[in-house]
Amino acid sequence: MKEELIQVMAGNAFAVSDGVGDMRAQPHVPVGLFSFDTRFLSHWVLTVDGQPLYALSRDDMTYFETRFFLVPGTATHYVDADVSVIRHRSIDDSFNERITVLNHSAKPAEFTVRMEIGSDFADTAEIKSPQQRGIGVLVDQGQLRLCYERGRFGREAIISSTEPVEVDQGGMTFRISVAPNGTWTTNLHVGMIIRGAGTQDLRSSLEAHQRKVRHDMREELREWLERAPTLVTPRKPVASAYREALTDLAALRYQSLAYSQLSPVGGMPWAMALYGRDSMITCLQSIAFTPELAPATLRILAMDQGGRLDDEHDEEPGKILGELRYGEMAAFGSAAPTMYYGAADTTPLFVILLDEYERWSGDAALARELRHPARMALDWIDEYADMTGDGYVRYQRRNTRHGLINQCWKNSPDAVVDRHGREPAFPRATCELQGYAYDAKRRGARLAREIWGDPQYAHRLEREAAELKERFNRDFWLPEQGYYAFALDPDGRPVDALTSNNGHLLWSGIAEPDRAAEVAGHLMGPKMFSGWGVRTFADGQLPYNPVGSHLGGVWPSDNALIAAGLRRYGCDEEAARIVAGIFDVVETLGGSVPEVIAGYPRSQTKYPVQLPAGGRPQAWSSGALLMLIGTMMGLRPLGENLLVNPVLPRGYGPIELLDIPGRWGRTDSYGRERPAHPRGRRPRVR
Amino acid sequence: MATSAAEYLERSVSGRHPDLPETTCGTLRLDIHEDARTEHWYLAIDRQNVEVTRSVEDADLVVRADREVFDRLAAGCIHVASALLRNELAAQGNLRLLMSLRRIFPGPPEARHPRDVARAREGRP
């Protein structure tokens, strides 16, 4: 059994410890205190009179606060302990641990309380085997300062105590005397400093931290939950999963150095940074629930839009960021660079999100403000992404040392293969990229016509979109198999694997309507549908692997887009099966929506098997749950109104989603179960 | 170094920059240190137009670095974001303007167009 890991987080800062609150660096999981992709504490171990502590219970108060209730000793002999310890930790830009020692005896008692403290200043990208760094340790006026320098690059952790303390190179010791039935308390505060970098002052004081955590952050979380629509459902686990998903999204918002508005990071523990794809998909998924994420994300990605041709960065003018990493390895080029653009889908997604946000919010001013970056993004599709001149969006890394081999959402190195496991040459054109490009052009056309006042450009984009759709349906369709090819190789030969990417083609609207039923049949057939959700890669093909992230695993985020696509083409019943399957995963596991589960048939395992590669929470997994609710309710903005067209899985009605924000102000939606529609209904395409 | 930052700022920056968004508007001051002296270059960005002057006036964003760092920036050899993270370059003020430098200074001279890379067919697995 894996040891339980406890996390607190806020934006891109997080702390991971064991069940008593101790942090000891491990090779396989990022344990310690992290911020801006740097580990500021790798060792943080509390003892009382030289004894380790044992956990009685824990109170995970909010995502940024946890309390551990502890006694000295081990499980076998803590009984009748006359001393107990409470560790109350909280995180924002800094980290605080309030340690309380309670003397339960009728006599005064003396204790030696010690915190061992150390840091390796590892980059999150090298947790498996951190390089040895020369760490400076300074004992300075009752503070412990851990410093790392490389040229002008500097990171520092400053640990201070509110109570008198003996500080040495390895930690802090308190020799205390506690009155009968009395308590003793100190606050250990850890400031995390990034030298230079034009940062906000990360050396926030203890008082500021406590004010922020106890008042501002608790209040802000309450308001965040209140601003979101109210879900009324007879299924209690669904109600709590909804609340959990909203809370996870609150936890995974970070403030960049340039903007005060918050945008989503990828997720715990490996992706606590801005990822263009994850961030924008999350915004699209949550647009009916937490629309404020979208403008913040669009603005920061517009600011960071590619401006130059650059091989190391896999950057081209107009390209939207793949990831933004603040760590040492990125800054010094021993990993993908700080601003890395190796993603072929982010640029069309930017236009899709801008249009979708305007449709929901009516915020035409933002669409005008971001006209230039949107136009550059649309130009990128034709000028830089069409690498072989056949009109398809393709990718091939130019940074061959640290760049990503696969620059689509299935980005593991072996993810793109045919049904026999053969890899196509580069540049590769995966099918969903064409769907996104089609959608981006159509949406760009709407923005050009309705908001930018450029009907000629709108006309051009519409024509290009229509041509792309026609070409795509000719070149990617595999008539004998009845689905769309995974990708085309540089010579235009199809990569014939059956994959979940077909669902994205429905989401984008590039699939021909008369092919939707056949595609849906594949997606929901036993080779693809596990019973929990649609597998990334169909069973029965050589590379299929139920525990392979992109070669068989089931991703809630993927499934949310697939379900939305199915409803777009009128495959309502199929969409409802996915909604029910993913909700069953969440109801069975409890807590945050997992990033990916194994592709085993549900009938075989009866339980969703989580993959070690996946982390919780993940922004686009939490977002998936919201999108599935929106899909179930059939929410769609039309002009100034919100259309509601619920199709519920059995056992999900009656359901209400109240106070849905948008250009209409706030509005309510109600859903009841109804008999399934007869099959063969005319597909509805919007 | 083929061109110094000072030469580049003098010759190649003033004028229209169609790749800057129309909505980017503000002032940047580049403080270029060498030995004991500092040169101040003042860039006013307004509706895709950049005006370059020498001035010590306050700006929305002040960027400070050694001459050598600015020279490498002007030669397209370093990325402004990595330089900032390495603390080779300090920025104070409205950081939203910082990325404008990416469009004002050139990219790496050896950079390739994706189409040329595709044509070379280096990508055979």
Side-chain angles (χ1 to χ4, degrees), chain A residues 160-374:
Chain A
S160 58
S161 163
T162 48
E163 287 298 303
V165 62
E166 296 163 30
V167 185
D168 60 73
Q169 299 265 314
M172 294 184 157
T173 306
F174 303 89
R175 295 178 209 284
I176 58 171
S177 177
V178 187
N181 297 310
T183 64
W184 171 90
T185 295
T186 187
N187 280 284
L188 291 186
H189 193 71
V190 186
M192 295 178 275
I193 293 167
I194 295 176
R195 199 171 301 159
T199 50
Q200 66 264 59
D201 189 5
L202 296 182
R203 214 173 327 198
S204 62
S205 67
L206 172 63
E207 297 77 54
H209 174 90
Q210 288 181 334
R211 191 171 55 244
K212 199 167 160 196
V213 167
R214 290 194 193 147
H215 181 73
D216 302 358
M217 285 172 80
R218 285 180 196 167
E219 181 72 5
E220 207 276 331
L221 177 58
R222 197 182 57 75
E223 286 171 3
W224 165 266
L225 293 170
E226 250 173 35
R227 276 201 300 279
T230 304
L231 180 70
V232 182
T233 162
R235 292 176 84 96
K236 280 220 172 69
V238 170
S240 57
Y242 175 63
R243 195 183 162 85
E244 181 70 45
L246 288 171
T247 306
D248 289 344
L249 286 178
L252 295 172
R253 291 169 303 160
Y254 104 109
Q255 187 179 357
S256 69
L257 298 174
Y259 279 96
S260 57
Q261 294 162 307
L262 305 173
S263 3
V265 292
M268 282 291 286
W270 300 109
M272 295 297 275
L274 180 67
Y275 284 78
R277 174 185 306 121
D278 297 56
S279 200
M280 287 188 286
I281 295 282
T282 303
C283 291
L284 285 163
Q285 291 168 332
S286 60
I287 210 155
F289 300 85
T290 54
E292 66 199 68
L293 296 175
T297 301
L298 286 163
R299 283 200 176 97
I300 186 170
L301 291 173
M303 180 184 76
D304 291 338
Q305 186 172 35
R308 290 286 175 251
L309 278 178
D310 186 319
D311 291 5
E312 191 202 353
H313 293 76
D314 278 331
E315 175 185 358
E316 299 103 44
K319 202 172 185 182
I320 296 295
L321 192 72
E323 57 189 271
L324 178 59
R325 284 288 190 177
Y326 294 103
E328 177 187 359
M329 294 179 72
F332 286 92
S334 49
T338 305
M339 294 177 77
Y340 180 61
Y341 293 86
D345 51 359
T346 48
T347 310
L349 284 171
F350 178 84
V351 181
I352 293 168
L353 177 59
L354 180 61
D355 175 69
E356 187 69 4
Y357 179 67
E358 198 284 329
R359 284 171 193 258
W360 280 85
S361 67
D363 187 352
L366 184 75
R368 272 191 291 273
E369 177 190 325
L370 297 180
R371 187 203 70 85
H372 189 276

Side-chain angles (χ1 to χ4, degrees), chain A residues 17-48:
Chain A
S17 72
D18 65 17
V20 298
D22 287 343
M23 307 180 200
R24 289 181 186 87
Q26 297 175 18
H28 300 297
V29 274
V31 173
L33 171 65
F34 295 81
S35 180
F36 285 87
D37 299 316
T38 306
R39 177 151 64 192
F40 283 87
L41 289 179
S42 54
H43 195 78
W44 183 258
V45 175
L46 185 65
T47 56
V48 172

Side-chain angles (χ1 to χ4, degrees), chain A residues 521-602:
Chain A
H522 278 292
L523 290 169
M524 304 311 294
K527 298 255 190 295
M528 291 232 73
F529 192 71
S530 74
W532 303 111
V534 177
R535 299 183 177 102
T536 41
F537 200 91
D539 192 1
Q541 310 179 100
L542 198 60
Y544 169 74
N545 174 1
V547 294
S549 295
H550 301 121
L551 291 172
V554 174
W555 294 61
S557 58
D558 193 25
N559 276 269
L561 297 185
I562 297 168
L566 286 166
R567 283 223 66 187
R568 178 174 183 159
Y569 280 79
C571 307
D572 293 349
E573 204 187 310
E574 290 85 348
R577 280 178 69 201
I578 292 181
V579 170
I582 299 295
F583 271 79
D584 284 350
V585 172
V586 178
E587 290 189 20
T588 311
L589 290 177
S592 304
V593 185
E595 183 172 29
V596 51
I597 60 163
Y600 300 122
R602 180 175 179 173

Side-chain angles (χ1 to χ4, degrees), chain A residues 424-452:
Chain A
F426 296 95
R428 292 173 177 171
T430 53
C431 62
E432 87 289 2
L433 297 175
Q434 321 314 320
Y436 299 171
Y438 167 78
D439 200 16
K441 282 178 186 281
R442 299 248 309 161
R443 289 166 179 273
R446 188 192 79 87
L447 292 170
R449 182 167 285 116
E450 293 181 16
I451 292 168
W452 303 335

